[in-house]
Amino acid sequence: MINRNRLFLFALILAAFNLRPGITSVSPVLNGITEDLSMSSMSASLLTSIPLICFGFCSLFAGRLANRYQSEKIITFFIAFIGIATLLRVFSNSSTNLLITALFIGAGIGIVSPLLSGFIKSYFPENAASMIGIYSTSMVIGASISIGLTTPLQHMLNDSWKNGLAFWSIFALVALPLWFLVTKQAQKHTHKSSKKNRASLPLKNKEAWLLTCFVGLVILLFYCFAAWLPAIVEEKGETAAFGGLIGTITMLAQLPATLF
């Protein structure tokens, strides 16, 4: 049991690492992207807004997928999906190709995020609050690493922002072996469990709508900083690396709150 709990904990942490870099890594190299691909400000804004739209929309279908298939398999599949979409950025020779990867990454995050919350509830019911803290902290760490290191990686990898963005597929590569093991372990748990409760959307629940609006505003604030702060710093005359450092500091400042 201890070994299984450790496996599930590490798998949760590595899965959480995959839920932010596909979005936060764009901002430090945004100016380079717009110049190389001749993107307008409107098109550039879609690189961060498209994933968020997909995030919200695709989350609506996560419960249905979990009811139809084993949720751990869905998580594993979409972690791979995020990783492949991130890796494909190395071939982004046009703004259209890059926007398509943003759409795929947002869709993958939208499916995985709510299922990981259910994963915590299923396997860590007695420690759900602390596990949510670990899960949230892991997301912040993933965002911090990607926003701070994308520019240095760009310079290391043939001075290409494409390689800098595609590098973050490594998180999926590391997470997938653990999630294949989790899927096998979870099958035993499923056989012992009673039949699943079919989730439905609480469309008539006022508290659910208030909670949705609250979480939406919090996410809006987070992504406003994550998506634009490094680019704004660079436009003020600083280097892209310094902009990434400011973004990292902003992310790390959230760690105490996410832990507690």
Side-chain angles (χ1 to χ4, degrees), residues 184-223:
K184 291 182 180 180
Q185 289 285 334
Q187 285 176 339
K188 300 175 184 177
H189 182 273
T190 302
H191 292 322
K192 295 177 182 179
S193 301
S194 58
K195 57 184 180 181
K196 297 179 179 179
N197 295 321
R198 300 190 65 83
S200 59
L201 294 176
L203 298 177
K204 297 182 179 181
N205 188 319
K206 293 181 180 180
E207 291 183 356
W209 281 106
L210 287 173
L211 182 60
T212 300
C213 292
F214 173 76
V215 173
L217 288 172
V218 172
I219 291 174
L220 175 64
L221 289 172
F222 171 82
Y223 280 109

Side-chain angles (χ1 to χ4, degrees), residues 24 140 143-144 147 222 225-226 246-255:
T24 56
V140 172
S144 303
I147 204 169
F222 171 82
F225 279 102
I246 294 298
T248 298
I249 292 172
T250 304
M251 295 294 115
L252 292 177
Q254 302 175 42
L255 286 179

Side-chain angles (χ1 to χ4, degrees), residues 1 22 45-46 49 70 73 107 130 158 162 210 224 240 256:
M1 181 67 69
S45 69
L46 293 176
S49 59
Q70 184 187 5
K73 288 182 178 179
S130 59
N158 297 325
K162 299 176 188 178
L210 287 173
C224 281

Side-chain angles (χ1 to χ4, degrees), residues 45-223:
S45 69
L46 293 176
L47 288 174
T48 51
S49 59
I50 282 180
L52 294 185
I53 294 170
C54 291
F55 187 172
F57 180 74
C58 293
S59 295
L60 297 174
F61 302 97
R64 294 183 181 181
L65 286 172
N67 284 331
R68 191 165 188 176
Y69 307 100
Q70 184 187 5
S71 62
E72 293 78 12
K73 288 182 178 179
I74 300 299
I75 293 171
T76 304
F77 176 83
F78 279 98
I79 288 174
F81 188 79
I82 293 169
I84 292 170
T86 304
L87 183 61
L88 287 175
R89 286 182 159 175
V90 78
F91 305 110
S92 298
N93 296 318
S94 70
S95 58
T96 301
N97 292 344
L98 192 58
L99 289 172
I100 289 173
T101 64
L103 186 144
F104 288 162
I105 289 170
I109 294 172
I111 296 295
V112 172
S113 292
L115 293 185
L116 285 178
S117 298
F119 179 81
I120 291 171
K121 184 178 179 180
S122 295
Y123 297 106
F124 302 97
E126 296 178 358
N127 302 306
S130 59
M131 292 304 298
I132 287 291
I134 292 172
Y135 166 51
S136 301
T137 301
S138 301
M139 284 193 290
V140 172
I141 292 173
S144 303
I145 293 172
S146 63
I147 204 169
L149 294 183
T150 298
T151 300
L153 284 168
Q154 171 188 349
H155 297 318
M156 290 172 57
L157 302 172
N158 297 325
D159 204 24
S160 170
W161 57 263
K162 299 176 188 178
N163 295 336
L165 294 180
F167 176 84
W168 300 113
S169 60
I170 193 171
F171 282 151
L173 184 65
V174 174
L176 283 173
L178 283 185
W179 275 95
F180 285 125
L181 294 175
V182 167
T183 300
K184 291 182 180 180
Q185 289 285 334
Q187 285 176 339
K188 300 175 184 177
H189 182 273
T190 302
H191 292 322
K192 295 177 182 179
S193 301
S194 58
K195 57 184 180 181
K196 297 179 179 179
N197 295 321
R198 300 190 65 83
S200 59
L201 294 176
L203 298 177
K204 297 182 179 181
N205 188 319
K206 293 181 180 180
E207 291 183 356
W209 281 106
L210 287 173
L211 182 60
T212 300
C213 292
F214 173 76
V215 173
L217 288 172
V218 172
I219 291 174
L220 175 64
L221 289 172
F222 171 82
Y223 280 109

